[in-house]
Every structure is written in C-alpha cells, then in structure tokens.
C-alpha cells in the first residue's frame, strides 16, 4: 500500500495503469516509509484521462487526479504537480486540523525545536536558506509543504522525510555541487534529515527579504509580523483553487480543479495567523547565490541567541 503519512492522516496514492509509467517510481519514493499498521484516511486515485484535472471530495476523503495522456511538459513538472495536488488536497480535507504553510523548516537542536523559513510574499530564498542553515550542523524537516498542527496553541511542524527539496538551478552549484536533478531527496543533500515523525515545536520564523542587505536582520513590530505571515498561511489553498498562481503547474486554469464542500477558510486563517504571530519572527536579507553564506551566518547567530 502506498501511503503518504501526514501527522495522524494518511493518503493512499493509487496509480492506475493508464497513468504515466514514470510516475510510479516517484510515488514509491514519496510513500517509501513502512506504514504497515497505518490505515488510510484519504485516497488519491491517479489515472490517465482526456485532460489534466483534479477533483477533491472532502466528505468522502477521495481525490481524483486525471493526467492527459498527450500532455506536454517534462517529468519534473509532472512530479511537482502530483505532489502539489496530493499535499494541498490533504490540507483541504483536514477540516482545519492541519495548516499547510508555504515554506521550509529545519532544526538545529536535534529536533527539540524547529526554525521555519516561510514565504513572506517577497520572492525566493526559502529552500536555499533552509539548506544553508541545516548544512551548518542542523537537520532537514520539510521543504515547501510545511504541515503544521497546534498543540495547546503551540505551532508544531510535521517532519516529512520522504518529500523532495526543490533547489533552484542557480543555487544548486553552491549547495549541492554534483547534483543534476531539480528535485533532490534528503539523502541527496549535505544535511541529514530529522529521524522520527514527531511534531517539532516552532521556535523561530525566518522570512527571506530581498529588500534588506544580505545578512541584515529586522524584527517586524506589532501587526507587521502577522501581515508578513499571511502569504505563508494562504498560498497553498489559493494555488489549489487557482493554478495560475503557481510558477510550475500541470493545470491550465481554475476550471481544471474542483474542490467540493468548499468552506470559508477566512476564520481558520485568522486563528492560524494569531498563533503563528506569537512565535518570534525575523526578516533576513538575502541576495545573490554568493551572498548565501552571509545570510546563513546571520541566521545561525540569531538562532543561537534564541537558544
């Protein structure tokens, strides 16, 4: 059974013979952890079809991803699109139990606490900064799909060791010199992945900021921090409903996606923002690839002060 486990939830991914054959290997990597005693809470059917489209049915816990047999695009785009559909569908069907944040997370203390590197709506830098921090003695937790639960109000990041990390082409020579692929798994990267699956309390949020000098730190004051977090909280659901917001997508328009039993997520977003805003937040200047060491060093010093 191919299960993608996310906290207490498990998505069974069933790839039909009509789906692209190359997708089977990708799904096997995503679901390679042994979950013999885990029961699926949702099912995702992946099959070939006349057009590429996604149907999410929360009340039945089922997802249907149809992939056009004559679709253009490369293998990596297909893999990214499948992962996006799986992760975002699980979040949409969680009934608010899971918050899916747009960003990466690492730990510097063996998993006692997490540093979230989240999107502040200001561009790129999350994965590169997270990998740079982890390479300085830390461990990887998750990239891009930072599933979060809240225990007595404390945000906790769920480790996802089977998910790949998407390293930008211009950063790859600096971070992983011998890598050729766009999607790299934890075993391909210089930093180790966190062992175990227990939620990790979020102790610091770092937001890459291209408007600051590389390595420059600023702490947002008052409601400014909360505003910066909105993109990280809302991005994935917004992109699920409108694929045109994605940089990489297997869908062409909102008409290709149907999410049944749609709920107004505004109140859920506000509660999530309130809880995240209670965590210390810093904006960190990032620049060109050669500026990464300065940004990482500054982040490491700030993390040490927090500890």
């Amino acid at each position: 059974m191919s299960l993608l486990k996310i906290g207490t939830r498990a998505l069974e991914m069933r790839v039909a013979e009509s789906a692209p054959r190359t997708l089977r290997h990708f799904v096997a990597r995503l679901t390679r952890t042994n979950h013999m005693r885990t029961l699926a809470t949702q099912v995702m059917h992946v099959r070939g079809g006349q057009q590429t489209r996604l149907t999410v049915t929360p009340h039945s816990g089922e997802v249907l991803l149809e992939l056009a047999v004559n679709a253009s695009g490369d293998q990596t785009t297909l893999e990214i699109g499948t992962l996006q559909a799986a992760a975002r569908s699980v979040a949409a069907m969680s009934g608010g139990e899971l918050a899916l944040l747009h960003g990466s997370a690492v730990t510097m203390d063996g998993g006692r606490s997490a540093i979230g590197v989240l999107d502040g709506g200001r561009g790129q830098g999350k994965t590169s900064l997270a990998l740079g921090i982890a390479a300085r003695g830390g461990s990887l937790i998750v990239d891009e799909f930072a599933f979060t639960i809240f225990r007595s109000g404390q945000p906790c990041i769920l480790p996802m060791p089977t998910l790949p990390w998407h390293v930008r082409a211009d950063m790859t020579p600096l971070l992983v010199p011998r890598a050729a692929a766009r999607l790299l798994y934890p075993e391909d990267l210089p930093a180790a992945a966190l062992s175990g699956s227990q939620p990790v309390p979020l102790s610091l949020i770092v937001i890459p900021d291209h408007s600051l000098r590389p390595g420059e730190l600023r702490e947002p004051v008052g409601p400014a921090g909360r505003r910066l977090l909105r993109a990280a909280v809302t991005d994935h659901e917004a992109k699920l409903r409108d694929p045109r917001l994605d940089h990489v997508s297997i869908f062409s328009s909102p008409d290709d996606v149907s999410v049944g039993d749609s709920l107004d997520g505004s109140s859920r977003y506000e509660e999530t923002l309130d809880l995240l805003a209670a965590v210390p937040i810093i904006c960190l200047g990032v620049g060109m690839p050669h500026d990464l060491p300065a940004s990482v060093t500054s982040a490491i010093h700030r993390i040490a002060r927090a500890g």
Side-chain angles (χ1 to χ4, degrees), residues 82-124:
T82 301
L83 177 55
Q84 289 170 343
R88 292 168 180 171
S89 295
V90 169
M93 295 188 294
S94 74
E97 176 189 340
L98 298 170
L100 178 55
L101 307 182
H102 183 194
S104 306
V106 297
T107 180
M108 294 293 292
D109 57 11
R112 293 189 297 277
S113 65
I115 302 102
V117 187
L118 304 183
D119 192 305
R122 296 184 175 182
Q124 301 167 322

Side-chain angles (χ1 to χ4, degrees), residues 91-260:
M93 295 188 294
S94 74
E97 176 189 340
L98 298 170
L100 178 55
L101 307 182
H102 183 194
S104 306
V106 297
T107 180
M108 294 293 292
D109 57 11
R112 293 189 297 277
S113 65
I115 302 102
V117 187
L118 304 183
D119 192 305
R122 296 184 175 182
Q124 301 167 322
K126 302 177 297 299
T127 299
S128 301
L129 186 56
L131 284 173
I133 293 171
R136 295 274 293 270
S139 300
L140 309 173
I141 297 178
V142 68
D143 182 42
E144 187 68 20
F145 303 99
F147 281 97
T148 304
I149 62 172
F150 299 91
R151 290 181 166 177
S152 301
Q154 168 67 58
C156 298
I157 305 291
L158 297 173
M160 298 292 293
T162 66
L163 300 193
W165 288 62
H166 190 175
V167 185
R168 277 170 34 199
D170 60 342
M171 296 302 301
T172 301
L174 181 64
L175 292 165
V176 197
R178 291 176 297 279
R182 289 168 59 194
L183 290 179
L184 299 174
Y185 290 83
E187 58 265 30
D188 304 323
L189 297 167
L194 181 66
S195 60
S197 58
Q198 292 302 308
V200 185
L202 185 62
S203 63
L204 179 67
I205 295 173
V206 179
I207 297 178
D209 191 336
H210 287 269
S211 71
L212 302 177
R213 297 188 312 274
E216 181 182 356
L217 289 175
R218 285 189 185 171
E219 298 194 19
V221 178
R226 192 177 185 279
R227 287 196 296 270
L228 285 172
L229 294 171
R230 187 170 291 277
V233 171
T234 61
D235 267 8
H236 278 305
E237 183 165 345
K239 291 174 179 177
L240 171 67
R241 297 179 186 279
D242 187 353
R244 295 172 299 186
L245 299 173
D246 264 315
H247 294 298
V248 178
S249 180
I250 56 176
F251 307 108
S252 301
S253 77
D255 294 335
D256 297 333
V257 178
S258 173
V259 184

Side-chain angles (χ1 to χ4, degrees), residues 96 226 230 233-234 237-238 241 262-274:
R226 192 177 185 279
R230 187 170 291 277
V233 171
T234 61
E237 183 165 345
R241 297 179 186 279
S262 298
L263 299 175
D264 179 8
S266 58
S267 61
R268 173 167 45 86
Y269 288 153
E270 299 309 315
E271 181 181 358
T272 299
L273 285 167
D274 288 340

